[in-house]
Amino acid sequence: MAYRTTLRGVLAGLAGIGIVLTFLFARIGLVSPEVVVGFAVATLTALFASGGRTAFRRLFGRTPPTDSPADDADWWLARLEPALEPSWNGWSDLVVTVGLAVVGLGAFGLIVTVRTDDPPIELLLVGFFGLTGALISIGFAISGDAG
């Protein structure tokens, strides 16, 4: 039973980071549309594997009632947390922390290796958001129980 919890947590973490990065890549225009679509398909597969149809319903329309009228449940990205909450655990925090750190360091590594006088500013944004997100989420990964 512990391996199921671990697998669901890892898949939920992959779905969480995948949705956020798909949104970021689509908004910034850093990669081609085909790559964004492929990334989105892999992310939605991880979402379905971790949360099933209920996660899809929560993310794409059918939301539970909110506690506060100030909640912005109309924005689909705001519904990410309720969709992943049932399968989220310490492993998810670890996957998000490591994934964001890899994305941030990879973006800064690409900036260093670009052989033009004017490196793409999009890489700087992705690197900044990746490392900042990793630093924020490291506290959750350390305090959460990964087992």
Side-chain angles (χ1 to χ4, degrees):
M1 195 63 150
Y3 69 89
R4 272 188 128 167
T5 303
T6 302
L7 183 61
R8 283 186 73 189
V10 168
L11 288 171
L14 289 173
I17 192 172
I19 288 172
V20 170
L21 290 177
T22 300
F23 175 75
L24 183 65
F25 290 157
R27 295 293 293 173
I28 290 178
L30 183 64
V31 296
S32 68
E34 293 84 13
V35 173
V36 173
V37 169
F39 203 68
V41 167
T43 297
L44 292 177
T45 303
L47 176 70
F48 183 76
S50 68
R53 288 187 300 174
T54 305
F56 270 102
R57 286 187 193 122
R58 287 183 179 163
L59 184 63
F60 294 114
R62 296 184 187 166
T63 59
T66 58
D67 296 336
S68 165
D71 289 339
D72 190 15
D74 290 338
W75 189 39
W76 69 270
L77 202 53
R79 294 189 301 258
L80 177 61
E81 189 267 334
L84 293 174
E85 186 177 9
S87 28
W88 198 267
N89 58 32
W91 290 102
S92 307
D93 294 327
L94 183 64
V95 166
V96 167
T97 300
V98 170
L100 287 174
V102 166
V103 167
L105 291 174
F108 284 129
L110 284 174
I111 288 174
V112 170
T113 61
V114 168
R115 301 212 183 265
T116 62
D117 292 334
D118 192 22
I121 191 75
E122 294 89 359
L123 286 175
L124 184 63
L125 289 172
V126 170
F128 174 75
F129 286 136
L131 289 181
T132 302
L135 287 173
I136 290 170
S137 65
I138 197 166
F140 295 107
I142 290 172
S143 68
D145 64 313

